[in-house]
Amino acid sequence: MGRPSLRSFTSMVCIAFLVWSSSSFESCIARSGRRHWRRHDGDNGLSASLSKKKPKSHGSSSHHHHNGGPSKKAPPSAPAKAPNSPPAPLKDSLTFNVLDFGATGDGKCDDTKAFQAAWAAACKVERSVMLVPEKYQFLVGPISFSGPYCQKGITFQVDGTIVAPMNSNAWGKGLLQWLEFSKLVEITIQGKGTIDGSGSVWWQDNPYVEPDNLAPQIIPLDNSTLLQKHPPPLQTELSSKMPSTKPTAVRFYGSLNATVTGITIQNSPQCHLKFDNCIGVMVHHIRVSSPGDSPNTDGVHLQNSRDVLIHSSTLGCGDDCISIQTGCTNVYIHDVNCGPGHGISIGSLGRYNTRACVSNITVKNVNMHNTMTGVRIKTWQGGSGSVSGIMFSDIQLTEVQFPIVIDQFYCDKSTCKNQSSAVSVSGINYQRIKGTYTVKPVHFACSDNLPCIDISLTSIELKPLQEKYHLYDPFCWATYGELNTPTTPPIECLQIGKPTSNRPQTDHDTC
């Protein structure tokens, strides 16, 4: 056999070089992590399952996931990306990790633009996942994750921590919300992470909790003051100039089939989680946490929303654990722990002589501990509309000041003008409400002009616990209904039947 020619030798060297270059390029891609795709064990069939249903909570901070089958390798001649430019998501990608879009996750650098970029990419892909990975803390300013041109079924996966800025410059003259999800279809927020509203810097500008017209009845046995002071404001440039308008931490607006599950929302400047003009809301297995004296920090706030399910959650805050406002119907709440806070409230309704409509509300299997009120309906004088078809059942109370309340004279300031018109209240059922109270077991204060009717009480067992406050007997004014069983204590003030002089309901009352 003859020796190989020089040309043959050169060809062999070139082929060997190309093979080596190809393998080296693939190894570089595999090591680059954030900037390029990589295949994970167990990826086969992932996209098929995602296309059928929304992704469940992810336990890892992996990056882009792709459809089943072997991934195509990038050719050696593919141009390298600029090191500081966010990657363009691959065609079949479903997961958009905020780290891939420039987020640092150190809790100090502003990651708002990275979140905006990740959302813009996820918005274009049906059933996509915007991932906020665990073990990182992301400082994010006010931002709107909005449609209506986004694809349906987006999951906002929160496994890390999102924290609000404490610098007043980030809030301008004041905003109504921090994280807004607007005009979306089948949007889900889920995960094991935390959304922290940094509320303490806002609360310091409000040293006292706003008054409630039940407050004068809370008289400590030692006659000490009830006004709760917040810690003195920190004299820093960051905290002394916050806007007077406080934002809600997470707000959904005009969305269809919105779900929130798994996450913790804490220390919101105002409401923690709000749904406005939404249809098909599901909230479950979440935790809300803020101090009991943090002002106006409702846990879950519903307004103009219907077909709502809230269950299996723990809510502790400085105001209503759940607040149900005008325009809400078909709301079912069960298996919720509430406290501290102001219990579960319908209202306040009818302020500024407005029409308010709330109907078909069920609250069941709820535990309340150390709350101001238990289950409450509160309306302003001068309003119109109606509250009807309400069921409160199987409520367990521990050291609740006012377990059962209907108040058609609600007022959150020192004095309010007397007015004859009112939001009508009828068809309210209380069943199996038991536990201990510390001030007054039942408070029914209804309008002379439009009394509360069809108030039904069954198996009410409330025992006094005189440790801190003066105690009162049950109170009823212009309240009509029936006692289906004996109650503890006896609620003798309830007037049986219906008022003889009750005027017929008019368009003023109906909804």
Side-chain angles (χ1 to χ4, degrees):
M1 180 182 297
R3 290 185 299 174
S5 65
L6 179 60
R7 178 176 296 177
S8 298
F9 179 79
T10 303
S11 298
M12 294 172 63
V13 170
C14 290
I15 292 172
F17 176 78
L18 288 173
V19 171
W20 175 85
S21 298
S22 176
S23 62
S24 297
F25 184 81
E26 290 170 358
S27 298
C28 183
I29 292 175
R31 288 193 300 267
S32 63
R34 292 186 185 176
R35 294 300 178 189
H36 300 278
W37 58 267
R38 56 182 176 180
R39 183 178 174 187
H40 300 273
D41 293 337
D43 276 356
N44 290 335
L46 176 61
S47 64
S49 64
L50 286 173
S51 66
K52 295 179 182 177
K53 61 182 180 178
K54 293 183 181 180
K56 294 183 179 180
S57 177
H58 299 277
S60 67
S61 58
S62 61
H63 307 301
H64 299 310
H65 293 249
H66 303 281
N67 290 336
S71 304
K72 295 181 180 179
K73 298 178 181 178
S77 59
K81 297 182 183 292
N84 295 324
S85 63
L90 297 181
K91 182 178 180 180
D92 295 329
S93 177
L94 287 173
T95 299
F96 299 85
N97 189 326
V98 295
L99 294 174
D100 292 345
F101 293 83
T104 59
D106 63 0
K108 299 178 182 178
C109 297
D110 187 351
D111 288 327
T112 307
K113 290 183 178 180
F115 273 61
Q116 290 171 332
W119 176 260
C123 171
K124 301 173 183 177
V125 181
E126 186 173 341
R127 307 289 173 190
S128 62
V129 177
M130 178 173 164
L131 176 61
V132 180
E134 62 181 334
K135 299 181 181 178
Y136 292 90
Q137 185 178 82
F138 300 93
L139 178 64
V140 177
I143 186 172
S144 179
F145 304 102
S146 62
Y149 303 109
C150 288
Q151 296 295 314
K152 68 178 181 179
I154 300 174
T155 295
F156 191 83
Q157 183 76 28
V158 181
D159 291 328
T161 298
I162 304 173
V163 61
M166 300 177 72
N167 191 327
S168 61
N169 294 333
W171 301 97
K173 295 182 179 180
L175 298 171
L176 295 177
Q177 59 273 325
W178 170 33
L179 307 177
E180 181 183 42
F181 295 82
S182 175
K183 299 180 181 179
L184 299 166
V185 177
E186 296 181 22
I187 175 68
T188 295
I189 299 180
Q190 67 178 24
K192 57 185 179 182
T194 299
I195 296 175
D196 190 329
S198 304
S200 61
V201 70
W202 301 81
W203 308 329
Q204 290 164 358
D205 293 332
N206 296 270
Y208 302 108
V209 176
E210 288 188 3
D212 187 292
N213 56 333
L214 291 175
Q217 301 179 53
I218 307 173
I219 303 174
L221 293 174
D222 60 3
N223 294 317
S224 61
T225 180
L226 283 174
L227 293 178
Q228 295 174 307
K229 292 186 176 181
H230 291 276
L234 299 175
Q235 299 300 317
T236 70
E237 184 178 350
L238 297 181
S239 64
S240 59
K241 300 178 182 178
M242 302 305 284
S244 58
T245 300
K246 303 180 189 65
T248 288
V250 180
R251 180 191 183 224
F252 286 82
Y253 175 79
S255 294
L256 175 66
N257 295 339
T259 298
V260 180
T261 181
I263 64 171
T264 293
I265 308 175
Q266 64 187 30
N267 299 325
S268 177
Q270 196 162 317
C271 296
H272 287 79
L273 178 60
K274 179 182 288 188
F275 295 90
D276 193 354
N277 280 282
C278 293
I279 300 174
V281 171
M282 182 179 293
V283 177
H284 62 96
H285 296 93
I286 73 163
R287 177 175 173 264
V288 166
S289 178
S290 64
D293 62 349
S294 55
N296 304 117
T297 54
D298 290 18
V300 181
H301 182 98
L302 305 175
Q303 185 169 331
N304 296 313
S305 295
R306 61 183 175 88
D307 305 330
V308 178
L309 174 61
I310 302 173
H311 69 91
S312 308
S313 296
T314 298
L315 312 173
C317 55
D319 210 308
D320 299 325
C321 291
I322 299 176
S323 172
I324 302 169
Q325 300 292 323
T326 185
C328 291
T329 187
N330 297 340
V331 177
Y332 183 29
I333 299 165
H334 70 88
D335 295 288
V336 168
N337 294 314
C338 169
H342 292 183
I344 295 178
S345 295
I346 297 174
S348 60
L349 305 173
R351 190 173 191 177
Y352 305 124
N353 304 104
T354 56
R355 177 185 295 270
C357 300
V358 175
S359 63
N360 195 17
I361 311 295
T362 297
V363 178
K364 186 176 182 179
N365 293 331
V366 172
N367 292 316
M368 298 189 184
H369 176 73
N370 194 27
T371 59
M372 187 182 83
T373 55
V375 290
R376 172 164 63 162
I377 298 171
K378 49 184 179 178
T379 70
W380 291 76
Q381 296 182 73
S384 62
S386 68
V387 178
S388 62
I390 313 299
M391 169 67 77
F392 298 113
S393 71
D394 300 285
I395 312 294
Q396 185 65 45
L397 309 164
T398 305
E399 297 187 50
V400 172
Q401 293 173 347
F402 301 90
I404 298 174
V405 175
I406 298 177
D407 187 0
Q408 286 188 297
F409 300 90
Y410 181 75
C411 177
D412 65 357
K413 48 191 175 183
S414 56
T415 58
C416 290
K417 179 182 177 182
N418 287 325
Q419 300 182 63
S420 59
S421 61
V423 178
S424 69
V425 177
S426 64
I428 316 299
N429 294 281
Y430 301 92
Q431 297 182 0
R432 296 177 298 279
I433 300 179
K434 303 178 181 182
T436 58
Y437 67 93
T438 60
V439 178
K440 182 189 292 185
V442 174
H443 180 87
F444 291 146
C446 297
S447 167
D448 289 305
N449 192 50
L450 196 62
C452 301
I453 60 174
D454 296 330
I455 309 302
S456 173
L457 296 103
T458 305
S459 300
I460 308 300
E461 298 179 14
L462 300 171
K463 299 180 180 180
L465 189 64
Q466 189 171 20
E467 291 185 348
K468 299 180 182 179
Y469 310 112
H470 291 283
L471 294 174
Y472 297 84
D473 293 330
F475 172 83
C476 312
W477 184 268
T479 308
Y480 294 80
E482 58 184 350
L483 299 173
N484 296 313
T485 64
T487 64
T488 304
I491 306 175
E492 298 173 347
C493 58
L494 181 72
Q495 301 186 60
I496 306 303
K498 294 186 178 181
T500 56
S501 60
N502 191 42
R503 66 171 174 79
Q505 197 171 52
T506 68
D507 291 340
H508 178 84
D509 312 316
T510 58
C511 292

